[in-house]
Every structure is written in structure tokens, then in C-alpha cells.
């Protein structure tokens, strides 16, 4: 085999992988919100979850995208772990659709569709309104071109008559169970190394259809591919939160269990699939597969095996989802750390997100968590105001300082993540969301600053041995903080919910109440100092806290405006 042919093989695999990636991203841009809503609404029980996972994955040609969306819903509390497991089972079925596309591409002349697809695609790309359809057509064109080139390269290589290749596969005892295990392991390692089950499936089809590799060894490679793709998701989930790691483990358990039972009935099952392919070809599609050149029917045998294996495996395990859920929860315990004191991002995970559209969804959840954390920080400030014990005061003040550092880190990390996402090819709607989210994180960090400023003011009073606030001052500050906390609660309802169900006027009404109360207290403070009810120093500290609450209320309104996309002030 010449070096030129070798590079043609690698290039055709690269085209295949790039085409699938482009198709998947284009489909998610066209129907991303609809797909997410489908996952959220159509998983009321395990059977609908299974069907939803299969349909969505077959549509977007990416089981990873489906798995990521599912895990994100578990993190957000929109799906239970049990529902997520059923969706992931369905994703395994949906991803087998790719094998059928490859089988058709390797067995029939599909090159006639490639260049018209490129031509139509470039026209649609320049028509801004339909550019995602153009992206999809270009991805499909690259996929078909890759399959066509792979088929021609396989013919040129003539692997069935290459003595070195034939001898290598013949050196393995075809009847040995050890041979099956070796090729199973090889399939898993290959999938893990190239990070693409589609590429391994294409190589397997090339070897089997050329007659170089027996079908039994090829199917062992496919089984290994099923396990190898779960290793990738488990490694990616190592830095994710507990629920994400449990979902990834359930995915691996599903595939490992399937491989265990299929090995028991390995030969009879494959013989049954071969019979089914022959019967379906002649009886249903009127195709005499026995006369396909180069054993090309084996491509359909591989695709049929892949589908049958995953369908039967899902049909068995779908009834044991509660048991699987208990098992993965028993294996993976929650981390024994104080989540409130942990500044690591919980929803944004390096390596887990594959497309910009889905990355934005994860960032929204992270910002919602950031928003809730800032309200908890404000609760600590309220507690600090009335804390009399010195040791408890110092401990609480230290926690507030830590929260201030956390808020700074979260702003920087989320903003950096959004900026990296914005470098990709995005829809106009997604670009607008990213601009709004950058403003949200900036305003949320300002809320953290306001909280810390109040804490420092209270600490300055305590350390300076200033006289105590009067009962009236305490009452006024509590009323102001209650209004501010109400504003924060209303903001978090928006951050964690839907915009169409949010009453934005309520936010502006609360802000007006805060402003009016601040003005009232400001006038009253001057009178109280003049009447010698307390000295000027304590009055200044008192008004610093009141003014900081008013500023915090302004930041809340800014967050709400950014999320709602309005400028009503």
C-alpha cells in the first residue's frame, strides 16, 4: 500500500467525521430550542424517554449532544436521573442510524448527490435566512464525499487480496472466545483513541466488505466501539458534578451489560442477523444481497447487528431503570465538600459540551446558580448585622470574604467561557443571549461587591468600638434589607424560570419602594443627628448600609433587564 493511498484513507475518514460534526451542529442550530423542549416535555415515563432519546439522536446524528442535554436537565432538576437513563438508552438506539447511512453509502453510488448538495448549500449559506440549511447540506456533502472516497480507496487497496492483511486476521482462531475478546478490546481502544465511533464503524465496514476481516471479528470491533464511546463520556464527566457522573456511569453500565449477554449467544445471534438481512433484502426490498460485489451485504449485517443489539439491550434494561439508578447512586456518592464554599463551576464542564448552542444552555444554568449564591451571601450580611458573639462574627465575616472571592472567580470564569463560545459560528439569537449573559455576570458580581461593602461597614463599626445602633436604626435597616431580599428573590425566580411567566413590573415596583424608603431614611437621619439621638459617625455608618442596599437594588434591576432584553428605566 503506497503512502498516497494511506493518506487518502485518513483523509476520507476525516471528511466523514467533519461532515457528521457539521450536520449535527447545523441541525442543533436549526432546532436546538425545540429539541431541548422535546427532551423536557416528552420524558414523562421511561418508554417515552427511550423513544425521545432515539428520535432526537437520529435527528442530530450525535448521541453526545443528546446525552449532554439530558445531563444538563438533570442538573437543573427538570429531569430525574431515572428519566435521564431512559433517554440515554434511546440515544444508543438513535446513534445506530449512522451505521445505516454508512452501509448505504458504501454499497450504492451516492456520489451523484455530493456536488449538487455543495452547490445548493453555498447558495443557502449566502442567503442569511437559510444559512443553517446550507451548513447542513455542506455537512451532508462532506459525509457522502467521505463515504464515496472511502469506498474507492478500499477498492484501490484491494485488502481482500493483500496477503499481509489477510494473514494477520487469519492468524486469529475464528472459533476462539479469546479472539472475540481481543477484537472487542481493540474496538474499544480504537474508539477511545480517535474519539469517534463513526470512524471505527467505517473502518470495520471497509475491512469486512473487502473480505479481509471475518464478520465475527468485525462485530466484535463494533461491540468494543460501544464500550469505547462510554469511556470518553466518563472521562469527560470526571470534573462534572455528581449527577453528571452518575448519568455517564449508567451509560457505561448499559453498554457493558449488553456486551456481557451478547457474548453468551454471540455466534447464534450473528447468524440470526445474517439470515434476517438476507430475508429482508429479498422479501422486503427486492435486493439480492447474495450477489453484492465484495461481500457488500456485510455492511448491512454490521448496521443491522448494531441496531438489533441496542434495541434488544434497551428492551431488557428499560424495565430495570430504578435498579440502575440505585446502583449508580450507590457507586458514586456525593462529594463531601461544602458546595456553598466551593467556587468550582458546576454546570460548565470542559470537554463535555460539543456545540455552542448547547454551551449557552449550560452557561445560563451556571449564571442562575451564581445569582442564588449572591442572595445567600446577602443573607449572611443580614445575619452579621445582629451577631453579638465575637468568634461567630469573625467566622461569618470570613465566610463573606470567601464569597466575595467566589463571585470574582465566577464572573471571570463564566465570562471567559462565554467569550470562547462567541468565537464559534452562532445564530443571531444566540449572539444576543451571550451579550445579555455577559452583562448579567457583571451585574451579579456587583451585587457581591455591594454585599461585601456592607459587611466591611458593619465590621468597621464593630472594630472601631463605635456606639451601638439605636433600636429605630436596627428596625429601619431590617426593613430596607427585607425589601432588598424580596428584590433578590424575585430576580432568582426569573433566572431559574421562564421569561414569559415573569412579571417585570414587580421588579421595578420593588426598586421604587427601595428608593423611596432610602430617601425617607436619609431625611430622617439628618433630623435625628440634629436632635442628638446618635452621633454623626454612627449616622454615617447607618446610611452607608442603607445606600449600599439601594445600590444592590439597582444591580438587581440591571440583571432583570439583561435577562428580559428590556430597557424600561
Amino acid at each position: 500500500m503506497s503512502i498516497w493511498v494511506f493518506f487518502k484513507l485518513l483523509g476520507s475518514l476525516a471528511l466523514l467525521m467533519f461532515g457528521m460534526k457539521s450536520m449535527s451542529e447545523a441541525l442543533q442550530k436549526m432546532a436546538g430550542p425545540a429539541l431541548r423542549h422535546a427532551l423536557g416535555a416528552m420524558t414523562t415515563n421511561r418508554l417515552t424517554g427511550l423513544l425521545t432519546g432515539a428520535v432526537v439522536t437520529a435527528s442530530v446524528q450525535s448521541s453526545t449532544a443528546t446525552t449532554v442535554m439530558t445531563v444538563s436537565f438533570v442538573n437543573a432538576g427538570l429531569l430525574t436521573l431515572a428519566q435521564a437513563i431512559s433517554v440515554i438508552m434511546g440515544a444508543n438506539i438513535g446513534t445506530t442510524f449512522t451505521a445505516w447511512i454508512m452501509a448505504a453509502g458504501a454499497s450504492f453510488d451516492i456520489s451523484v448527490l455530493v456536488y449538487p448538495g455543495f452547490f445548493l448549500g453555498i447558495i443557502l449559506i449566502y442567503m442569511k435566512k437559510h444559512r443553517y440549511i446550507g451548513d447542513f447540506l455542506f455537512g451532508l456533502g462532506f459525509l457522502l464525499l467521505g463515504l464515496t472516497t472511502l469506498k474507492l480507496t478500499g477498492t484501490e487497496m484491494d485488502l481482500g487480496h493483500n496477503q499481509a492483511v489477510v494473514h494477520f486476521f487469519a492468524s486469529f482462531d475464528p472459533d476462539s472466545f479469546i479472539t472475540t475478546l481481543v477484537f472487542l478490546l481493540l474496538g474499544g481502544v480504537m474508539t477511545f483513541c480517535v474519539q469517534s465511533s463513526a470512524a471505527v464503524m467505517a473502518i470495520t465496514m471497509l475491512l469486512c466488505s473487502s473480505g479481509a476481516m471475518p464478520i465475527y471479528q468485525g462485530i466484535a470491533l463494533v461491540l468494543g466501539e460501544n464500550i469505547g464511546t462510554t469511556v470518553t463520556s466518563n472521562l469527560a464527566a470526571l470534573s462534572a458534578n455528581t449527577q453528571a457522573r452518575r448519568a455517564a456511569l449508567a451509560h457505561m453500565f448499559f453498554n457493558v451489560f449488553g456486551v456481557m449477554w451478547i457474548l453468551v449467544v454471540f455466534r447464534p445471534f450473528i447468524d440470526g442477523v445474517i439470515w434476517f438481512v438476507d430475508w429482508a433484502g429479498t422479501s422486503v426490498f427486492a435486493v439480492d444481497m447474495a450477489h453484492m460485489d465484495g461481500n457488500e451485504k456485510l455492511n448491512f449485517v454490521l448496521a443491522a447487528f448494531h441496531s438489533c443489539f441496542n434495541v434488544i439491550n434497551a428492551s431488557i434494561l428499560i424495565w430495570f431503570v430504578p435498579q440502575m439508578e440505585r446502583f449508580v447512586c450507590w457507586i458514586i456518592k456525593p462529594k463531601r465538600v461544602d458546595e456553598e464554599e466551593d467556587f468550582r463551576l458546576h454546570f460548565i464542564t470542559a470537554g463535555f459540551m460539543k456545540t455552542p448552542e448547547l454551551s449557552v444552555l449550560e452557561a445560563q444554568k451556571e449564571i442562575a446558580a451564581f445569582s442564588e449564591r449572591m442572595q445567600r451571601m446577602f443573607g449572611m450580611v443580614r445575619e452579621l448585622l445582629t451577631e453579638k458573639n465575637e468568634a461567630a462574627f469573625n467566622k461569618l465575616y470570613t465566610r463573606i470574604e470567601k464569597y466575595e472571592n467566589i463571585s470574582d472567580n465566577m464572573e471571570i470564569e463564566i465570562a471567559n467561557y462565554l467569550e470562547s463560545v462567541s468565537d464559534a459560528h452562532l445564530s443571531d439569537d444566540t449572539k444576543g443571549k451571550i451579550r445579555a449573559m455577559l452583562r448579567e455576570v457583571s451585574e451579579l458580581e456587583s451585587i457581591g461587591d455591594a454585599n461585601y461593602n456592607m459587611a466591611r461597614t458593619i465590621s468597621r463599626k464593630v472594630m472601631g468600638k463605635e456606639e451601638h445602633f439605636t433600636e429605630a436604626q436596627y428596625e429601619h435597616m431590617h426593613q430596607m434589607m427585607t425589601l432588598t431580599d424580596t428584590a433578590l428573590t424575585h430576580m432568582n425566580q426569573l433566572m431559574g424560570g421562564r421569561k414569559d411567566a415573569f412579571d417585570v413590573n414587580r421588579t421595578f415596583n420593588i426598586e421604587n419602594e427601595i428608593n423611596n424608603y432610602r430617601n425617607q431614611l436619609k431625611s430622617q437621619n439628618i433630623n435625628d443627628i440634629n436632635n442628638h439621638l446618635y452621633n454623626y459617625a454612627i449616622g454615617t455608618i447607618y446610611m452607608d448600609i442603607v445606600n449600599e442596599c439601594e445600590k444592590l437594588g439597582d444591580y438587581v434591576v440591571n440583571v432583570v433587564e439583561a435577562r428580559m432584553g428590556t430597557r424600561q428605566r
Side-chain angles (χ1 to χ4, degrees):
M1 181 174 66
S2 69
I3 191 69
W4 171 244
V5 175
F6 177 71
F7 277 115
K8 280 180 69 177
L9 175 65
L10 294 181
S12 59
L13 288 173
L15 273 175
L16 175 70
M17 294 164 63
F18 180 75
M20 288 195 63
K21 181 176 182 292
S22 300
M23 283 175 60
S24 176
E25 291 185 357
L27 282 166
Q28 289 176 60
K29 287 173 184 175
M30 284 190 287
L35 290 175
R36 293 197 290 270
H37 293 156
L39 276 178
M42 296 177 62
T43 53
T44 52
N45 60 61
R46 66 186 78 170
L47 293 177
T48 57
L50 181 76
L51 180 62
T52 303
V55 172
V56 169
T57 304
S59 300
V60 302
Q61 286 293 290
S62 174
S63 58
T64 300
T66 306
T67 303
V68 167
M69 283 190 285
T70 304
V71 170
S72 69
F73 281 142
V74 176
N75 293 341
L78 300 177
L79 288 180
T80 65
L81 181 59
Q83 289 173 321
I85 291 172
S86 66
V87 173
I88 291 171
M89 287 182 183
N92 266 41
I93 296 173
T95 197
T96 64
F97 183 65
T98 306
W100 289 101
I101 295 176
M102 292 183 182
S107 302
F108 303 103
D109 184 13
I110 54 176
S111 60
V112 294
L113 302 175
V114 174
Y115 298 104
F118 283 152
F119 177 71
L120 183 59
I122 197 65
I123 293 175
L124 293 174
I125 286 174
Y126 281 102
M127 295 171 59
K128 196 171 183 181
K129 185 178 180 182
H130 302 293
R131 66 179 181 274
Y132 301 129
I133 301 176
D135 289 340
F136 170 78
L137 289 175
F138 253 81
L140 180 62
F142 281 125
L143 171 66
L144 298 179
L145 183 60
L147 287 173
T148 302
T149 309
L150 189 64
K151 178 183 177 182
L152 295 175
T153 306
T155 303
E156 186 177 346
M157 292 168 69
D158 194 19
L159 293 175
H161 296 92
N162 187 311
Q163 291 303 313
V165 175
V166 172
H167 178 72
F168 171 77
F169 290 111
S171 65
F172 294 92
D173 182 0
D175 298 320
S176 172
F177 183 69
I178 299 299
T179 298
T180 301
L181 292 181
V182 167
F183 278 85
L184 190 150
L185 178 63
L186 182 62
V189 171
M190 288 173 62
T191 304
F192 173 71
C193 290
V194 302
Q195 298 284 293
S196 172
S197 58
V200 177
M201 177 63 81
I203 293 171
T204 305
M205 287 183 172
L206 175 64
L207 290 169
C208 287
S209 63
S210 67
M213 183 169 63
I215 186 62
Y216 298 103
Q217 294 174 4
I219 285 179
L221 279 179
V222 173
L223 288 175
E225 166 213 312
N226 275 267
I227 295 178
T229 193
T230 66
V231 173
T232 303
S233 62
N234 273 272
L235 288 177
L238 285 177
S239 60
N241 62 21
T242 301
Q243 291 292 70
R245 288 184 290 123
R246 285 172 175 170
L249 179 62
H251 189 198
M252 175 175 279
F253 175 83
F254 173 81
N255 283 6
V256 169
F257 175 83
V259 169
M260 290 173 65
W261 70 257
I262 200 69
L263 288 176
V264 177
V265 293
F266 191 64
R267 290 297 181 107
F269 191 89
I270 295 173
D271 293 340
V273 171
I274 293 173
W275 172 85
F276 173 77
V277 170
D278 282 334
W279 172 83
T282 55
S283 303
V284 180
F285 300 106
V287 177
D288 187 0
M289 292 193 171
H291 292 88
M292 280 189 169
D293 292 336
N295 293 321
E296 288 178 342
K297 78 168 185 178
L298 296 183
N299 292 328
F300 291 95
V301 171
L302 287 166
F305 171 83
H306 200 201
S307 295
C308 292
F309 164 70
N310 280 292
V311 168
I312 294 174
N313 197 32
S315 301
I316 295 171
L317 286 179
I318 193 65
W319 309 108
F320 298 96
V321 168
Q323 288 77 13
M324 286 179 63
E325 181 183 22
R326 286 198 293 270
F327 173 73
V328 296
C329 289
W330 175 70
I331 293 291
I332 299 179
K333 309 289 186 187
K335 291 183 179 180
R336 293 183 179 179
V337 296
D338 186 350
E339 295 289 332
E340 305 306 323
E341 305 294 330
D342 182 15
F343 65 83
R344 179 180 61 84
L345 300 182
H346 295 287
F347 298 100
I348 295 173
T349 309
F352 220 75
M353 299 308 304
K354 299 297 180 184
T355 62
E357 303 292 325
L358 293 174
S359 299
V360 169
L361 179 67
E362 297 302 294
Q364 285 177 338
K365 293 183 178 63
E366 201 66 70
I367 293 172
F370 188 6
S371 178
E372 291 174 359
R373 194 187 293 267
M374 291 302 94
Q375 185 170 14
R376 287 193 293 271
M377 185 181 181
F378 181 71
M380 294 178 200
V381 174
R382 296 183 71 180
E383 187 179 343
L384 189 73
L385 181 63
T386 55
E387 183 57 64
K388 304 299 181 183
N389 182 276
E390 183 176 351
F393 183 93
N394 291 334
K395 183 178 179 181
L396 189 57
Y397 183 74
T398 301
R399 284 192 72 196
I400 293 172
E401 281 186 314
K402 191 168 185 177
Y403 265 62
E404 162 62 10
N405 292 329
I406 289 172
S407 70
D408 291 341
N409 288 331
M410 290 191 75
E411 179 196 20
I412 292 170
E413 291 191 32
I414 296 173
N416 287 342
Y417 181 76
L418 289 171
E419 286 175 1
S420 67
V421 172
S422 65
D423 291 336
H425 181 49
L426 301 172
S427 64
D428 294 336
D429 181 56
T430 302
K431 289 177 182 177
K433 287 180 181 177
I434 289 178
R435 286 193 296 269
M437 286 191 285
L438 286 170
R439 183 183 173 205
E440 288 166 21
V441 294
S442 175
E443 298 296 341
L444 286 171
E445 194 277 332
S446 296
I447 291 176
D449 289 343
N451 285 330
Y452 185 50
N453 289 339
M454 280 187 276
R456 285 196 303 175
T457 301
I458 296 169
S459 178
R460 188 174 78 242
K461 168 189 167 293
V462 172
M463 298 305 173
K465 306 298 182 182
E466 299 287 349
E467 66 178 71
H468 294 298
F469 291 124
T470 65
E471 289 298 323
Q473 283 178 316
Y474 273 118
E475 182 180 347
H476 295 155
M477 284 187 291
H478 284 312
Q479 289 178 0
M480 174 61 87
M481 287 184 170
T482 298
L483 282 173
T484 307
D485 191 60
T486 302
L488 287 167
T489 300
H490 198 58
M491 175 188 73
N492 280 320
Q493 288 174 356
L494 171 63
M495 303 304 282
R498 296 174 61 88
K499 291 196 295 186
D500 53 10
F502 184 76
D503 181 11
V504 70
N505 291 322
R506 173 68 176 141
T507 297
F508 293 106
N509 290 337
I510 296 172
E511 187 208 12
N512 288 333
E513 288 185 57
I514 292 174
N515 289 343
N516 293 335
Y517 195 51
R518 188 275 313 266
N519 294 336
Q520 176 187 334
L521 295 181
K522 186 176 180 179
S523 299
Q524 187 175 344
N525 178 61
I526 296 172
N527 293 331
D528 290 344
I529 292 174
N530 290 335
N531 293 329
H532 305 290
L533 296 181
Y534 45 80
N535 62 35
Y536 183 82
I538 199 70
T540 301
I541 294 173
Y542 163 65
M543 283 310 301
D544 282 346
I545 295 172
V546 170
N547 287 328
E548 210 63 53
C549 284
E550 191 275 332
K551 287 181 185 177
L552 197 155
D554 289 340
Y555 299 141
V556 167
V557 172
N558 292 341
V559 172
V560 170
E561 285 183 340
R563 176 54 63 94
M564 296 294 292
T566 57
R567 299 285 290 180
Q568 297 189 23
R569 289 192 301 165

